[in-house]
Amino acid sequence: MNFKPRDIVDQILPHRTPAQNQAKAYAPANIALCKYWGKRNETLKLPLTGSLSVSLAELGTHMQCRIAETDRLEINGQMQAADSKAFRRLFSFLELFREPGTHFHIQSTNTIPMAAGLASSASAFASAVNCLNLLYGWELSDRSRSILSRIGSGSASRSICAGFVEWYCGEQPNGMDSYAEALDETWPAFRIGILCLSDAEKAVSSGVGMQRTMDTAVLYQSWPTQVARDLPLLRRSIQDKDFECLGKTAEQNAMAMHATMIAAWPPILYWKPESIRTLHRVQQLRAEGVAVYATMDAGPNVKLVFLEPSQSDVQSAFPEMQVVQPFGSTCQD
Ligand code: DP6
């Protein structure tokens, strides 16, 4: 059977009667250490492999939803046109959850720098699901909210949880076993450094990029093997607090993903001269004994991973870097 998003939503939602007139919710953005790149089912956004990420604590999307006369979307205080990409993508998702004739005024505020092209759809879709969950009083589990967010954007499945998060590939055709869960581990010294290198809108979206890579890159055949090696290495390095193994695995995984994109036709080359300069600088820092590693997603920006003791060295090399503490500043190890 070919399941449609609506079938899955029907299966999960207890009802479609709002419990209140408005609700507010939040979801963090996330950065994958083992990437999601390629789908086994396009409409349900079912991945070909599992992935593992870290959520970005206070960097994400705050969303407020009010029942209204007409559909309206404000992002960071700016009203979006009804034919804009953001409006159409969000409302075609929201359509899955409401009765015909119900309209929403959505106000969404991103705390992740949006101009830098870093604001992912992940926190937007996860915060929308969290918000509707409150508006309708569904009291859905994390697992159900992860599945619903995934239908909006694959990586949003991971933005339901804080800390380290694994998204299971699953094998069922309806995708009910493809959801994300937090790992039972914290690492208070863990840091993510965000470098905004370019604010140009990306020419190829991640969805289009991964499909093109699957369709045209012979090298993509090696991707499941890469993930099969990296996922257990990451799980183990998080458990053992083996930062060198974690950093190496995450950087190699990101480079391998980009290798598959470069091998696609037409090639998908998100890298800008500043991205390459940054990657070289990271290698140089490591040669000088600073444990810092890089990861990149579907765009030119570079994110760094390091531990608190290296923070001042990394910050002197990249003074413009924004530092995120995924486990807060007060967590105990
Ligand atoms: C490179 O979740 O944006 O950031 O499911 O098509 O909406 P769709 O794709 P999306 O892809 C994210 C890809 C990535 C890697 C990752 O976050 O795992």
Side-chain angles (χ1 to χ4, degrees):
M1 172 165 174
N2 267 341
F3 292 97
K4 297 202 174 53
R6 185 82 191 189
D7 302 326
I8 309 307
V9 174
D10 281 345
Q11 209 173 317
I12 291 177
L13 299 190
H15 61 81
R16 283 188 168 81
T17 312
Q20 43 199 358
N21 280 332
Q22 59 172 26
K24 263 188 200 173
Y26 173 75
N30 72 78
I31 302 289
L33 302 173
C34 178
K35 308 293 183 187
Y36 145 56
W37 195 245
K39 298 182 182 74
R40 65 187 159 88
N41 178 315
E42 177 72 36
T43 39
L44 295 183
K45 300 208 170 37
L46 294 174
L48 197 80
T49 65
S51 59
L52 195 151
S53 60
V54 59
S55 287
L56 296 189
E58 74 281 2
L59 293 193
T61 304
H62 292 272
M63 197 172 278
Q64 174 166 12
C65 178
R66 261 189 295 131
I67 309 270
E69 294 291 304
T70 52
D71 286 338
R72 283 196 289 165
L73 171 62
E74 270 175 66
I75 301 181
N76 292 347
Q78 301 251 315
M79 200 59 86
Q80 307 293 306
D83 60 355
S84 65
K85 238 196 274 172
F87 189 106
R88 281 187 286 132
R89 189 161 176 210
L90 183 64
F91 276 98
S92 63
F93 178 67
L94 296 175
E95 214 62 79
L96 296 168
F97 299 87
R98 60 188 186 181
E99 291 286 16
T102 309
H103 295 291
F104 297 139
H105 179 177
I106 304 281
Q107 287 169 298
S108 148
T109 312
N110 291 302
T111 49
I112 186 151
M114 229 194 145
L118 280 162
S120 59
S121 50
S123 56
F125 285 101
S127 64
V129 168
N130 285 341
C131 200
L132 294 185
N133 185 44
L134 296 174
L135 187 80
Y136 283 87
W138 292 322
E139 299 186 6
L140 297 174
S141 64
D142 285 5
R143 181 185 298 195
S144 294
R145 283 182 289 118
S146 176
I147 292 173
L148 294 174
S149 305
R150 188 204 74 220
I151 292 171
S153 185
S155 54
S157 66
R158 300 184 308 234
S159 276
I160 290 299
C161 312
F164 293 114
V165 180
E166 181 167 355
W167 172 16
Y168 308 117
C169 171
E171 44 189 45
Q172 291 174 17
N174 65 3
M176 294 307 263
D177 56 352
S178 184
Y179 58 90
E181 229 169 30
L183 268 61
D184 201 13
E185 298 283 342
T186 61
W187 198 338
F190 197 85
R191 298 287 181 272
I192 301 268
I194 298 190
L195 292 167
C196 304
L197 303 175
S198 162
D199 60 4
E201 209 198 320
K202 53 188 173 196
V204 183
S205 71
S206 8
V208 169
M210 62 179 83
Q211 191 58 49
R212 187 191 297 171
T213 306
M214 287 183 82
D215 292 344
T216 65
V218 175
L219 204 57
Y220 185 75
Q221 287 169 17
S222 66
W223 179 248
T225 315
Q226 180 80 39
V227 174
R229 189 200 69 160
D230 293 347
L231 267 180
L233 278 175
L234 285 168
R235 281 190 215 110
R236 193 160 2 109
S237 56
I238 291 168
Q239 207 173 8
D240 300 347
K241 306 284 181 288
D242 180 347
F243 184 69
E244 194 188 336
C245 179
L246 180 143
K248 270 191 340 208
T249 309
E251 185 167 320
Q252 201 178 10
N253 185 274
M255 296 300 112
M257 174 182 74
H258 281 272
T260 69
M261 299 180 197
I262 294 168
W265 194 263
I268 307 162
L269 192 52
Y270 287 115
W271 300 16
K272 296 268 195 258
E274 307 78 54
S275 324
I276 296 172
R277 263 200 295 277
T278 304
L279 294 175
H280 283 150
R281 186 80 181 96
V282 167
Q283 290 189 2
Q284 193 189 340
L285 281 169
R286 281 206 296 269
E288 291 164 9
V290 182
V292 55
Y293 298 86
T295 183
M296 290 177 72
D297 293 293
N301 294 306
V302 178
K303 293 99 182 182
L304 305 178
V305 292
F306 54 92
L307 295 179
E308 198 271 331
S310 310
Q311 186 161 331
S312 56
D313 287 332
V314 181
Q315 204 128 39
S316 345
F318 301 104
E320 68 288 10
M321 169 178 77
Q322 181 172 0
V323 178
V324 180
Q325 302 189 359
F327 299 93
S329 46
T330 51
C331 289
Q332 297 299 307
D333 207 350

